[in-house]
């Protein structure tokens, strides 16, 4: 039984982490911090946790996080980079669900995130926590950068194509659609129900923060530059990401076999039979990524459909998967659930 | 490990039952029948079950249901009453999620359900599976009538008030709202997305089949006639029932204490603090019923707010709870999950 | 052609007012004020108005509202009461869509709205703009208090029963359900999509500001005290209110005829045939109130179902209807549209 | 005042057509046919039309359609082609909202629609009713093929780029998202609320019937072959299409100016300012198409965002626009409304 701390438990990734950790057989919730809500029972803010999580929010000072085996940061960008060093030096392993350690190029990070980085050395050390790519490095990571939601869906969808050199890297398109919980639990007008329901829109077309993260990942797979166009959209559902990916084949491969072989032993990637169209609800509340791959009319354009739950495989679930790998638990421990559908 | 059969696994209560049973530590799924879809892998119809339920639908003949310890009927009304006798005679215990065994007055049942009853003797023997009322009889039930969704939310909301004789029985109002999954997985126009989304309506005001079931339950609690007005509504959400109940107090009781005392030891009923307003999402995908009780402006009208997930505590979850009681499992076995919210 | 000013055009009632006034044949939009957004084209904030409303927001100083024939206040509570006197003295008629002039009892108003009233004399003079009750007084009103959304749906539903003395006034129940736009266009967590979608809850059970407004209206109809229990609910749709009303008949009346006779000549109240269940979408984007009346199982409980679009008949549309009456236009001018369904 | 007939008024395009025609100043609804529902008041099926459309459905025999000036077919595919000849010979102009006359290549049509064409000669004569491309031919059309919903959004989005020869025609991507009303008012499981809500999926990736229609249109603009990949998606909203289009520029053009110049005088196409992201709700219930055009990071990939209401500009509204052109009405007559938002 490892001792677990959570910093910033008041957002959607925070409460989802609590949902998963509360029933994890190998983890014990030690402390949940919130400066603003210290003293409040967690279940007062999240009634879904009543009777399942009995902790109160505490201040960072009260939390004694250095006694934890692992600390999750479910905070806004820019917080973990300030606190991680002390924890790591105290022997605590850190899993950051925000973006602080995801981009290796510090200047690039600072451009997209609009602040100075406080811990460049930790960025150099940090492991990018996409288990399907970096499982070995994850085992020994002291600082783990948990991938973003869009980057998870998009990278898993492109991975077999790029690793195998099957597609033209100069022109990749990722048209991605997210549920509104991806925007976080912040009081803002544009994500109000009466704004976001019964409507659909793109956003961030000139440039979205997940673009450099995805590009870095694809370049890593390719060992070469990639030309990526990434367009995110807001869709009127609570959870779920659907990435529709387009690429041109440069050789005539059996794309179905390519995907099946690549993901055969992955516990959380499910390659669907030919002709399938995965629905986001088929992975709701689970850590599964389901993928279908098509060559419409048998042509040289390959279309990949990749779905995840943005709060689970796209955030809290993948973080727990990474924790399982880091602490040598069974990788599915606490995550072996059946998606909730309908 | 008990052997479990499911008859009619192609509706929403069926797939929800599979979701819960697939991870139940004490139950083994033996067979799932569907005349129309025999031979098809269950997960072809319900992709959310891929990798979690590996069975195929079988015909009733192939199913060898008489080798099960318990058989669930997740069928339309009128099916279980034709098959239950043979199973019971073979020593198999039966849990019917439909309405065949819920109404003790056969003539009343036949009036509301529009068919002749095929097994009146089993009705006389059947136990009504609301554990909070009938736990002792449930232990030894051979035929269990699993309550309807509205009846569960409404009865649990009225129970402490009626058992304690605190309210005027002549005029009770139950204004109930259900998610659309309550209408089942049937191809019909009025439950299409483009019909039911972004809109709200009452239905069945002249008379709904759950009225006699609720009335029978309340009369049983009261030992006297009750005057009940029941109005169900369709609300644009997938899961969830919210019952808003109105009654006049006949004596000045502490309604909060009344509810807390009555449900103190119930594992699946959560009485909220004074002033609360439960949301249906706070019980999503769980077997919990959350209840708040109010006396607006301190008057003699009591307002009870009672929420459940119609597919769990209102159907499949309560059925598993009843199975746990019948087979002397821990009552929370397989049901001790955290609701999915947001 | 009358000159129209709108104070506070940045909320949902404001934009809805602009939608209706932009195509009103007898009204010319003179100025739309917003302190915070002065200078911005209105259609930058509300792209749905592009090409239809070409004005910019102006400051109150620039607006020259005293040159208008009528000024609408689509502001938060407490604004109109500070500005109305000057306008009225300048000969401008005022229609307030907020609550400043709705409650005749100043002390009661101050209790529920938590502020001191700035213009008690105008309250005494103001006309409550429910045309079906006060059409004659509306014609000559200088200050018009446009009714709240819940109060409109509830009062129109109870009106024929109370005016005719058919029901027990001591115990009336109004169980009302609103779309989320009723909460306004304010950045708040509880009305975010990911909070309010796919869920249902009651709120304000201990006491809601529309309670004294409804009660005042019902008392006015009855000429006697009424005992009213009012429970509002939040439902996951954008627009629409559904009020489900319960009362006990004190005499055996033909409730269908009662409603049809009362509303026969009303242009915006539609009494449905016996056995009907109005859907909120059947009045979407229109000024219509549709009502069905039931006596379940022929008993002495009468159930009224009353639906409106909260932003139209519950706010901006009724305000335009009142303007039409005040300026002797055809009452349906600019409002004679077909609801948008699906 | 022209006399208008509607064949097949029981689907969503039918009721939308009635909504628009009921208030059209130049058109008089003469007859609405429905074999299955003849005799029923139209407003019994569609309560939103109560008091606005007083007709009953009639049989085709009763309808005397040959006395109409124009007949709209809002029928399933394959009906109009059987009835249009007689009408045209009787001097009645025909507007088909289905696909019978859209594809000029009969063999191609028969392949995608799975039936033999009954009126190839009329296909040769028919005019494809995209006013922004074919306004002149529409004026004198006897048979008008009203475009499909996806084809309208996609063609209007690609039009300026292809007409101007600015993009690589060999690899165009149209990633399109539709509200569920696009699937029609048919009792089917996959469009039930509990199936389609709170979820997102692609469909028809191997091939969708709108692909050949779009391709034919783009080829017509280009005068050359085009390589098009078209992926439609189902999104949990009632109305709306959002097309996200990707192309590679072959020359360095000012795409914003290109779009603005092309659509300057179009009454129903609105080119948004640079950097915009149109929402489908900004055109809800209106005939407007709003378009934004981007070059992310100033590269050579152009991204076009094009939104319409699938039932209006994507069906009934465009049909009325075509009627206006054919009968020399002002093109905006009856369509000059403000979109309904929120």
């Amino acid at each position: 039984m490892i001792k677990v701390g959570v910093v910033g438990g008041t957002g959607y990734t925070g409460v989802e982490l609590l949902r998963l950790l509360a029933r994890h057989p190998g983890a014990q919730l030690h402390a949940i911090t919130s400066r603003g809500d210290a003293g409040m029972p967690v279940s007062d803010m999240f009634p879904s946790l009543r009777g399942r999580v009995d902790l109160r929010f505490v201040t960072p000072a009260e939390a004694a996080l250095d006694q934890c085996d692992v600390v999750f940061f479910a905070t806004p960008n820019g917080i973990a980079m300030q606190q991680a060093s002390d924890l790591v030096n105290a022997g605590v392993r850190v899993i950051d669900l925000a973006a602080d350690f995801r981009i290796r190029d510090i200047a690039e990070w600072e451009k997209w995130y609009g602040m100075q980085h406080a811990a460049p050395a930790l960025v150099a050390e940090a492991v990018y926590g996409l288990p399907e790519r970096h499982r070995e490095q994850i085992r020994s990571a002291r600082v783990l950068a948990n991938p973003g939601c869009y980057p998870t869906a998009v990278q898993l969808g492109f991975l077999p194509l790029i690793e195998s050199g099957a597609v033209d890297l100069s022109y990749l398109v990722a048209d991605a659609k997210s549920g509104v919980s991806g925007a976080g639990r912040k009081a803002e007008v544009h994500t109000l129900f009466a704004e976001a329901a019964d409507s659909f829109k793109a956003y961030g077309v000139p440039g979205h923060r997940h673009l450099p993260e995805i590009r870095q990942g694809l370049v890593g797979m390719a060992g070469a530059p990639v030309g990526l166009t990434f367009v995110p959209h807001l869709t009127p559902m609570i959870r779920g990401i659907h990435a529709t990916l387009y690429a041109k084949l440069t050789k005539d491969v059996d794309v179905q076999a390519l995907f099946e072989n690549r993901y055969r032993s992955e516990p959380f990637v499910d390659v669907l039979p030919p002709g399938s169209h995965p629905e986001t609800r088929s992975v709701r509340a689970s850590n599964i990524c389901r993928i279908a791959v098509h060559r419409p009319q048998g042509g040289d354009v390959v279309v990949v459909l990749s779905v995840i739950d943005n709060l689970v495989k796209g955030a809290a679930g993948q973080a727990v998967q990474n924790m399982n790998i880091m602490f040598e638990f069974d990788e599915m421990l606490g995550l072996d659930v059946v998606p909730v559908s309908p």
Side-chain angles (χ1 to χ4, degrees), chain A residues 16-17 20-21 24 72 95 146 287 312 315-326 329-331 333-335:
Chain A
E16 188 69 358
L17 204 49
L20 297 173
L21 291 171
H24 192 287
F72 292 89
I95 297 177
N146 206 57
N287 198 49
V312 191
Q318 187 150 262
V320 171
Q321 182 183 359
N322 281 315
M323 179 191 82
N324 285 344
I325 297 170
M326 290 161 72
F329 293 125
D330 180 316
E331 197 165 326
L333 198 67
L335 297 171

PDB file of all heavy atoms in Angstrom, chain A residues 16-17 20-21 24 72 95 146 287 312 315-326 329-331 333-335:
ATOM      1  N   GLU A  16     -11.730  13.306 -10.593  1.00  0.00           N
ATOM      2  CA  GLU A  16     -11.664  12.018 -11.288  1.00  0.00           C
ATOM      3  C   GLU A  16     -10.548  11.153 -10.683  1.00  0.00           C
ATOM      4  O   GLU A  16     -10.704   9.941 -10.508  1.00  0.00           O
ATOM      5  CB  GLU A  16     -11.410  12.250 -12.780  1.00  0.00           C
ATOM      6  CG  GLU A  16     -11.510  11.009 -13.625  1.00  0.00           C
ATOM      7  CD  GLU A  16     -12.915  10.458 -13.738  1.00  0.00           C
ATOM      8  OE1 GLU A  16     -13.857  11.013 -13.126  1.00  0.00           O
ATOM      9  OE2 GLU A  16     -13.089   9.437 -14.431  1.00  0.00           O
ATOM     10  N   LEU A  17      -9.461  11.791 -10.343  1.00  0.00           N
ATOM     11  CA  LEU A  17      -8.358  11.085  -9.678  1.00  0.00           C
ATOM     12  C   LEU A  17      -8.835  10.506  -8.344  1.00  0.00           C
ATOM     13  O   LEU A  17      -8.541   9.349  -8.007  1.00  0.00           O
ATOM     14  CB  LEU A  17      -7.228  12.101  -9.444  1.00  0.00           C
ATOM     15  CG  LEU A  17      -5.794  11.653  -9.283  1.00  0.00           C
ATOM     16  CD1 LEU A  17      -5.351  10.698 -10.367  1.00  0.00           C
ATOM     17  CD2 LEU A  17      -4.890  12.895  -9.290  1.00  0.00           C
ATOM     18  N   LEU A  20     -10.925   7.428  -8.880  1.00  0.00           N
ATOM     19  CA  LEU A  20     -10.152   6.236  -9.211  1.00  0.00           C
ATOM     20  C   LEU A  20      -9.321   5.743  -8.031  1.00  0.00           C
ATOM     21  O   LEU A  20      -9.236   4.542  -7.766  1.00  0.00           O
ATOM     22  CB  LEU A  20      -9.247   6.524 -10.417  1.00  0.00           C
ATOM     23  CG  LEU A  20      -9.987   6.861 -11.716  1.00  0.00           C
ATOM     24  CD1 LEU A  20      -9.002   7.292 -12.798  1.00  0.00           C
ATOM     25  CD2 LEU A  20     -10.820   5.666 -12.200  1.00  0.00           C
ATOM     26  N   LEU A  21      -8.707   6.685  -7.304  1.00  0.00           N
ATOM     27  CA  LEU A  21      -7.839   6.287  -6.199  1.00  0.00           C
ATOM     28  C   LEU A  21      -8.636   5.751  -5.015  1.00  0.00           C
ATOM     29  O   LEU A  21      -8.150   4.898  -4.266  1.00  0.00           O
ATOM     30  CB  LEU A  21      -6.972   7.480  -5.764  1.00  0.00           C
ATOM     31  CG  LEU A  21      -5.911   7.918  -6.777  1.00  0.00           C
ATOM     32  CD1 LEU A  21      -5.263   9.229  -6.336  1.00  0.00           C
ATOM     33  CD2 LEU A  21      -4.852   6.829  -6.972  1.00  0.00           C
ATOM     34  N   HIS A  24      -8.727   2.146  -5.406  1.00  0.00           N
ATOM     35  CA  HIS A  24      -7.511   1.475  -5.872  1.00  0.00           C
ATOM     36  C   HIS A  24      -6.968   0.591  -4.746  1.00  0.00           C
ATOM     37  O   HIS A  24      -6.681   1.099  -3.659  1.00  0.00           O
ATOM     38  CB  HIS A  24      -6.468   2.518  -6.278  1.00  0.00           C
ATOM     39  CG  HIS A  24      -5.305   1.947  -7.032  1.00  0.00           C
ATOM     40  ND1 HIS A  24      -4.319   1.195  -6.429  1.00  0.00           N
ATOM     41  CD2 HIS A  24      -4.981   2.001  -8.356  1.00  0.00           C
ATOM     42  CE1 HIS A  24      -3.428   0.815  -7.343  1.00  0.00           C
ATOM     43  NE2 HIS A  24      -3.806   1.296  -8.519  1.00  0.00           N
ATOM     44  N   PHE A  72       0.409  13.506  -6.884  1.00  0.00           N
ATOM     45  CA  PHE A  72      -0.181  13.928  -8.153  1.00  0.00           C
ATOM     46  C   PHE A  72      -0.453  15.428  -8.109  1.00  0.00           C
ATOM     47  O   PHE A  72      -1.011  15.924  -7.132  1.00  0.00           O
ATOM     48  CB  PHE A  72      -1.524  13.222  -8.394  1.00  0.00           C
ATOM     49  CG  PHE A  72      -1.434  11.751  -8.637  1.00  0.00           C
ATOM     50  CD1 PHE A  72      -1.479  10.851  -7.580  1.00  0.00           C
ATOM     51  CD2 PHE A  72      -1.327  11.241  -9.931  1.00  0.00           C
ATOM     52  CE1 PHE A  72      -1.415   9.478  -7.798  1.00  0.00           C
ATOM     53  CE2 PHE A  72      -1.268   9.874 -10.157  1.00  0.00           C
ATOM     54  CZ  PHE A  72      -1.310   8.996  -9.089  1.00  0.00           C
ATOM     55  N   ILE A  95       3.846  12.996 -10.208  1.00  0.00           N
ATOM     56  CA  ILE A  95       3.101  12.830 -11.471  1.00  0.00           C
ATOM     57  C   ILE A  95       2.320  14.110 -11.709  1.00  0.00           C
ATOM     58  O   ILE A  95       1.423  14.454 -10.932  1.00  0.00           O
ATOM     59  CB  ILE A  95       2.147  11.615 -11.400  1.00  0.00           C
ATOM     60  CG1 ILE A  95       2.955  10.324 -11.210  1.00  0.00           C
ATOM     61  CG2 ILE A  95       1.278  11.541 -12.656  1.00  0.00           C
ATOM     62  CD1 ILE A  95       2.103   9.069 -11.051  1.00  0.00           C
ATOM     63  N   ASN A 146       2.396  13.696 -17.291  1.00  0.00           N
ATOM     64  CA  ASN A 146       1.236  12.959 -17.820  1.00  0.00           C
ATOM     65  C   ASN A 146       0.728  13.677 -19.075  1.00  0.00           C
ATOM     66  O   ASN A 146       0.532  14.888 -19.048  1.00  0.00           O
ATOM     67  CB  ASN A 146       0.140  12.945 -16.744  1.00  0.00           C
ATOM     68  CG  ASN A 146      -0.805  11.775 -16.869  1.00  0.00           C
ATOM     69  OD1 ASN A 146      -0.352  10.621 -16.849  1.00  0.00           O
ATOM     70  ND2 ASN A 146      -2.088  12.053 -17.004  1.00  0.00           N
ATOM     71  N   ASN A 287     -10.387   3.678 -18.867  1.00  0.00           N
ATOM     72  CA  ASN A 287      -9.057   4.097 -19.326  1.00  0.00           C
ATOM     73  C   ASN A 287      -8.733   3.598 -20.740  1.00  0.00           C
ATOM     74  O   ASN A 287      -7.593   3.648 -21.179  1.00  0.00           O
ATOM     75  CB  ASN A 287      -8.003   3.566 -18.342  1.00  0.00           C
ATOM     76  CG  ASN A 287      -6.672   4.292 -18.458  1.00  0.00           C
ATOM     77  OD1 ASN A 287      -6.659   5.529 -18.465  1.00  0.00           O
ATOM     78  ND2 ASN A 287      -5.580   3.558 -18.571  1.00  0.00           N
ATOM     79  N   VAL A 312     -10.121  10.311 -18.189  1.00  0.00           N
ATOM     80  CA  VAL A 312      -9.515   9.058 -17.725  1.00  0.00           C
ATOM     81  C   VAL A 312      -8.234   8.813 -18.538  1.00  0.00           C
ATOM     82  O   VAL A 312      -7.172   9.271 -18.146  1.00  0.00           O
ATOM     83  CB  VAL A 312     -10.513   7.884 -17.802  1.00  0.00           C
ATOM     84  CG1 VAL A 312      -9.943   6.665 -17.072  1.00  0.00           C
ATOM     85  CG2 VAL A 312     -11.853   8.267 -17.171  1.00  0.00           C
ATOM     86  N   ALA A 315      -6.327  11.852 -18.830  1.00  0.00           N
ATOM     87  CA  ALA A 315      -5.873  12.592 -17.642  1.00  0.00           C
ATOM     88  C   ALA A 315      -5.687  11.637 -16.446  1.00  0.00           C
ATOM     89  O   ALA A 315      -4.647  10.999 -16.311  1.00  0.00           O
ATOM     90  CB  ALA A 315      -6.841  13.728 -17.297  1.00  0.00           C
ATOM     91  N   ALA A 316      -6.710  11.529 -15.597  1.00  0.00           N
ATOM     92  CA  ALA A 316      -6.536  10.859 -14.312  1.00  0.00           C
ATOM     93  C   ALA A 316      -6.266   9.363 -14.443  1.00  0.00           C
ATOM     94  O   ALA A 316      -5.481   8.790 -13.675  1.00  0.00           O
ATOM     95  CB  ALA A 316      -7.773  11.098 -13.437  1.00  0.00           C
ATOM     96  N   GLY A 317      -6.910   8.721 -15.379  1.00  0.00           N
ATOM     97  CA  GLY A 317      -6.720   7.285 -15.544  1.00  0.00           C
ATOM     98  C   GLY A 317      -5.322   6.954 -16.023  1.00  0.00           C
ATOM     99  O   GLY A 317      -4.669   6.034 -15.519  1.00  0.00           O
ATOM    100  N   GLN A 318      -4.836   7.714 -16.992  1.00  0.00           N
ATOM    101  CA  GLN A 318      -3.482   7.483 -17.475  1.00  0.00           C
ATOM    102  C   GLN A 318      -2.465   7.784 -16.369  1.00  0.00           C
ATOM    103  O   GLN A 318      -1.427   7.117 -16.267  1.00  0.00           O
ATOM    104  CB  GLN A 318      -3.212   8.357 -18.703  1.00  0.00           C
ATOM    105  CG  GLN A 318      -1.893   8.058 -19.375  1.00  0.00           C
ATOM    106  CD  GLN A 318      -1.926   8.320 -20.882  1.00  0.00           C
ATOM    107  OE1 GLN A 318      -2.112   7.418 -21.679  1.00  0.00           O
ATOM    108  NE2 GLN A 318      -1.759   9.564 -21.258  1.00  0.00           N
ATOM    109  N   ALA A 319      -2.785   8.744 -15.520  1.00  0.00           N
ATOM    110  CA  ALA A 319      -1.905   9.040 -14.393  1.00  0.00           C
ATOM    111  C   ALA A 319      -1.845   7.847 -13.442  1.00  0.00           C
ATOM    112  O   ALA A 319      -0.769   7.499 -12.928  1.00  0.00           O
ATOM    113  CB  ALA A 319      -2.393  10.301 -13.657  1.00  0.00           C
ATOM    114  N   VAL A 320      -2.973   7.225 -13.204  1.00  0.00           N
ATOM    115  CA  VAL A 320      -2.974   6.036 -12.333  1.00  0.00           C
ATOM    116  C   VAL A 320      -2.273   4.871 -13.034  1.00  0.00           C
ATOM    117  O   VAL A 320      -1.527   4.108 -12.403  1.00  0.00           O
ATOM    118  CB  VAL A 320      -4.426   5.671 -11.941  1.00  0.00           C
ATOM    119  CG1 VAL A 320      -4.472   4.330 -11.224  1.00  0.00           C
ATOM    120  CG2 VAL A 320      -5.023   6.770 -11.051  1.00  0.00           C
ATOM    121  N   GLN A 321      -2.494   4.742 -14.348  1.00  0.00           N
ATOM    122  CA  GLN A 321      -1.760   3.720 -15.098  1.00  0.00           C
ATOM    123  C   GLN A 321      -0.254   3.928 -14.940  1.00  0.00           C
ATOM    124  O   GLN A 321       0.498   2.976 -14.684  1.00  0.00           O
ATOM    125  CB  GLN A 321      -2.167   3.796 -16.579  1.00  0.00           C
ATOM    126  CG  GLN A 321      -1.515   2.756 -17.484  1.00  0.00           C
ATOM    127  CD  GLN A 321      -1.902   2.931 -18.955  1.00  0.00           C
ATOM    128  OE1 GLN A 321      -2.679   3.822 -19.306  1.00  0.00           O
ATOM    129  NE2 GLN A 321      -1.374   2.060 -19.808  1.00  0.00           N
ATOM    130  N   ASN A 322       0.183   5.154 -15.037  1.00  0.00           N
ATOM    131  CA  ASN A 322       1.600   5.458 -14.858  1.00  0.00           C
ATOM    132  C   ASN A 322       2.066   5.141 -13.434  1.00  0.00           C
ATOM    133  O   ASN A 322       3.151   4.593 -13.227  1.00  0.00           O
ATOM    134  CB  ASN A 322       1.876   6.929 -15.211  1.00  0.00           C
ATOM    135  CG  ASN A 322       1.962   7.145 -16.717  1.00  0.00           C
ATOM    136  OD1 ASN A 322       2.616   6.370 -17.420  1.00  0.00           O
ATOM    137  ND2 ASN A 322       1.306   8.181 -17.220  1.00  0.00           N
ATOM    138  N   MET A 323       1.228   5.475 -12.456  1.00  0.00           N
ATOM    139  CA  MET A 323       1.557   5.125 -11.069  1.00  0.00           C
ATOM    140  C   MET A 323       1.714   3.610 -10.931  1.00  0.00           C
ATOM    141  O   MET A 323       2.656   3.124 -10.300  1.00  0.00           O
ATOM    142  CB  MET A 323       0.468   5.627 -10.124  1.00  0.00           C
ATOM    143  CG  MET A 323       0.698   5.284  -8.654  1.00  0.00           C
ATOM    144  SD  MET A 323      -0.755   5.620  -7.616  1.00  0.00           S
ATOM    145  CE  MET A 323      -1.737   4.123  -7.911  1.00  0.00           C
ATOM    146  N   ASN A 324       0.805   2.875 -11.535  1.00  0.00           N
ATOM    147  CA  ASN A 324       0.897   1.409 -11.481  1.00  0.00           C
ATOM    148  C   ASN A 324       2.231   0.925 -12.053  1.00  0.00           C
ATOM    149  O   ASN A 324       2.884   0.037 -11.471  1.00  0.00           O
ATOM    150  CB  ASN A 324      -0.250   0.779 -12.270  1.00  0.00           C
ATOM    151  CG  ASN A 324      -1.586   0.857 -11.530  1.00  0.00           C
ATOM    152  OD1 ASN A 324      -1.623   1.113 -10.322  1.00  0.00           O
ATOM    153  ND2 ASN A 324      -2.685   0.640 -12.236  1.00  0.00           N
ATOM    154  N   ILE A 325       2.647   1.503 -13.160  1.00  0.00           N
ATOM    155  CA  ILE A 325       3.918   1.093 -13.766  1.00  0.00           C
ATOM    156  C   ILE A 325       5.091   1.487 -12.868  1.00  0.00           C
ATOM    157  O   ILE A 325       6.001   0.693 -12.617  1.00  0.00           O
ATOM    158  CB  ILE A 325       4.071   1.742 -15.168  1.00  0.00           C
ATOM    159  CG1 ILE A 325       2.963   1.243 -16.108  1.00  0.00           C
ATOM    160  CG2 ILE A 325       5.451   1.444 -15.756  1.00  0.00           C
ATOM    161  CD1 ILE A 325       2.887   1.994 -17.433  1.00  0.00           C
ATOM    162  N   MET A 326       5.035   2.700 -12.334  1.00  0.00           N
ATOM    163  CA  MET A 326       6.138   3.206 -11.520  1.00  0.00           C
ATOM    164  C   MET A 326       6.316   2.394 -10.239  1.00  0.00           C
ATOM    165  O   MET A 326       7.431   2.266  -9.723  1.00  0.00           O
ATOM    166  CB  MET A 326       5.905   4.678 -11.163  1.00  0.00           C
ATOM    167  CG  MET A 326       6.042   5.633 -12.352  1.00  0.00           C
ATOM    168  SD  MET A 326       5.247   7.256 -12.074  1.00  0.00           S
ATOM    169  CE  MET A 326       6.361   7.999 -10.891  1.00  0.00           C
ATOM    170  N   PHE A 329       2.871  -2.209  -9.764  1.00  0.00           N
ATOM    171  CA  PHE A 329       1.565  -2.872  -9.647  1.00  0.00           C
ATOM    172  C   PHE A 329       1.202  -3.486 -11.005  1.00  0.00           C
ATOM    173  O   PHE A 329       1.791  -3.138 -12.033  1.00  0.00           O
ATOM    174  CB  PHE A 329       0.463  -1.855  -9.292  1.00  0.00           C
ATOM    175  CG  PHE A 329       0.585  -1.253  -7.918  1.00  0.00           C
ATOM    176  CD1 PHE A 329       0.630   0.132  -7.758  1.00  0.00           C
ATOM    177  CD2 PHE A 329       0.632  -2.052  -6.781  1.00  0.00           C
ATOM    178  CE1 PHE A 329       0.713   0.712  -6.499  1.00  0.00           C
ATOM    179  CE2 PHE A 329       0.719  -1.477  -5.517  1.00  0.00           C
ATOM    180  CZ  PHE A 329       0.762  -0.098  -5.378  1.00  0.00           C
ATOM    181  N   ASP A 330       0.212  -4.360 -10.998  1.00  0.00           N
ATOM    182  CA  ASP A 330      -0.395  -4.769 -12.270  1.00  0.00           C
ATOM    183  C   ASP A 330      -0.886  -3.491 -12.952  1.00  0.00           C
ATOM    184  O   ASP A 330      -1.523  -2.640 -12.327  1.00  0.00           O
ATOM    185  CB  ASP A 330      -1.559  -5.718 -11.982  1.00  0.00           C
ATOM    186  CG  ASP A 330      -2.249  -6.197 -13.243  1.00  0.00           C
ATOM    187  OD1 ASP A 330      -2.510  -5.371 -14.155  1.00  0.00           O
ATOM    188  OD2 ASP A 330      -2.575  -7.381 -13.314  1.00  0.00           O
ATOM    189  N   GLU A 331      -0.599  -3.376 -14.237  1.00  0.00           N
ATOM    190  CA  GLU A 331      -0.901  -2.103 -14.912  1.00  0.00           C
ATOM    191  C   GLU A 331      -2.396  -1.772 -14.909  1.00  0.00           C
ATOM    192  O   GLU A 331      -2.795  -0.603 -14.983  1.00  0.00           O
ATOM    193  CB  GLU A 331      -0.357  -2.143 -16.346  1.00  0.00           C
ATOM    194  CG  GLU A 331      -0.253  -0.778 -16.981  1.00  0.00           C
ATOM    195  CD  GLU A 331       0.609  -0.777 -18.236  1.00  0.00           C
ATOM    196  OE1 GLU A 331       1.602  -1.536 -18.299  1.00  0.00           O
ATOM    197  OE2 GLU A 331       0.286  -0.018 -19.162  1.00  0.00           O
ATOM    198  N   LEU A 333      -4.452  -2.431 -12.387  1.00  0.00           N
ATOM    199  CA  LEU A 333      -4.995  -2.377 -11.028  1.00  0.00           C
ATOM    200  C   LEU A 333      -5.814  -1.105 -10.813  1.00  0.00           C
ATOM    201  O   LEU A 333      -5.341   0.006 -11.062  1.00  0.00           O
ATOM    202  CB  LEU A 333      -3.848  -2.451 -10.000  1.00  0.00           C
ATOM    203  CG  LEU A 333      -4.279  -2.831  -8.573  1.00  0.00           C
ATOM    204  CD1 LEU A 333      -4.780  -4.262  -8.520  1.00  0.00           C
ATOM    205  CD2 LEU A 333      -3.114  -2.644  -7.595  1.00  0.00           C
ATOM    206  N   GLY A 334      -7.027  -1.288 -10.362  1.00  0.00           N
ATOM    207  CA  GLY A 334      -7.907  -0.142 -10.100  1.00  0.00           C
ATOM    208  C   GLY A 334      -8.495   0.472 -11.354  1.00  0.00           C
ATOM    209  O   GLY A 334      -9.287   1.418 -11.269  1.00  0.00           O
ATOM    210  N   LEU A 335      -8.120  -0.060 -12.515  1.00  0.00           N
ATOM    211  CA  LEU A 335      -8.591   0.529 -13.779  1.00  0.00           C
ATOM    212  C   LEU A 335      -9.352  -0.488 -14.625  1.00  0.00           C
ATOM    213  O   LEU A 335      -9.772  -0.175 -15.744  1.00  0.00           O
ATOM    214  CB  LEU A 335      -7.384   1.047 -14.589  1.00  0.00           C
ATOM    215  CG  LEU A 335      -6.582   2.180 -13.942  1.00  0.00           C
ATOM    216  CD1 LEU A 335      -5.304   2.439 -14.737  1.00  0.00           C
ATOM    217  CD2 LEU A 335      -7.422   3.460 -13.857  1.00  0.00           C
TER     218      LEU A 335
END
